[in-house]
Amino acid sequence: MVTALLEAVVGLGLLVMPSAVVSILLGVPLDTPGGLVAGRMAGAALVAIAVACWQARNGERDSPATGVVEAILFYNFAAAFVLVYAGVRLGLRSAVLWPTILLHLGLGAWCLLNLWFTRRKLSQVSSTKPEVAL
């Protein structure tokens, strides 16, 4: 839980104010649009790690793999958002920017479907189990 909380604080800081967090952590400013995007991508990855760590503490409730898929779901949608922001608001251009955005959106959708089908299957299994009288 401690790791989850620490990673979440730093990750959210990098997503919201990458220049300030990097300046605090490393003593140098992030002063280019590319640096800001890289800082936000790192923030998304740290928040994803935080989600995985937080979910892993509930191993008895769900499979630890579910926590990992939830973390990767967050990362993919956050990465797509950061990259859209980079292309639309910061004016960054690359031949692979929009294909990368589509890739992250597709991977995020796959994670979402995977979680939905897994939870649906688990609810069907639990509803068909006979109750045991004590």
Side-chain angles (χ1 to χ4, degrees):
M1 287 190 325
V2 172
T3 299
L5 294 173
L6 291 172
E7 297 292 355
V9 168
V10 175
L12 289 171
L14 282 168
L15 276 169
V16 176
M17 330 178 272
S19 186
V21 173
V22 168
S23 182
I24 290 167
L25 291 174
L26 302 176
V28 295
L30 275 179
D31 52 3
T32 66
L36 293 172
V37 170
R40 287 191 170 106
M41 295 295 284
L46 288 178
V47 172
I49 290 169
V51 170
C53 291
W54 188 261
Q55 292 298 346
R57 82 191 197 319
N58 291 328
E60 69 280 352
R61 184 191 66 172
D62 283 320
S63 163
T66 300
V68 172
V69 174
E70 289 171 347
I72 299 304
L73 167 72
F74 172 83
Y75 173 74
N76 279 303
F77 283 135
F81 175 79
V82 168
L83 293 172
V84 166
Y85 178 79
V88 173
R89 299 290 289 167
L90 299 178
L92 299 181
R93 302 286 179 251
S94 165
V96 297
L97 179 63
W98 290 100
T100 302
I101 291 167
L102 293 175
L103 175 67
H104 280 292
L105 289 173
L107 290 170
W110 178 84
C111 289
L112 197 60
L113 286 171
N114 187 310
L115 289 169
W116 184 75
F117 282 117
T118 299
R119 291 202 170 113
R120 186 171 174 218
K121 186 168 69 172
L122 288 174
S123 69
Q124 289 173 348
V125 169
S126 66
S127 67
T128 60
K129 280 186 180 177
E131 292 190 28
V132 177
L134 297 177

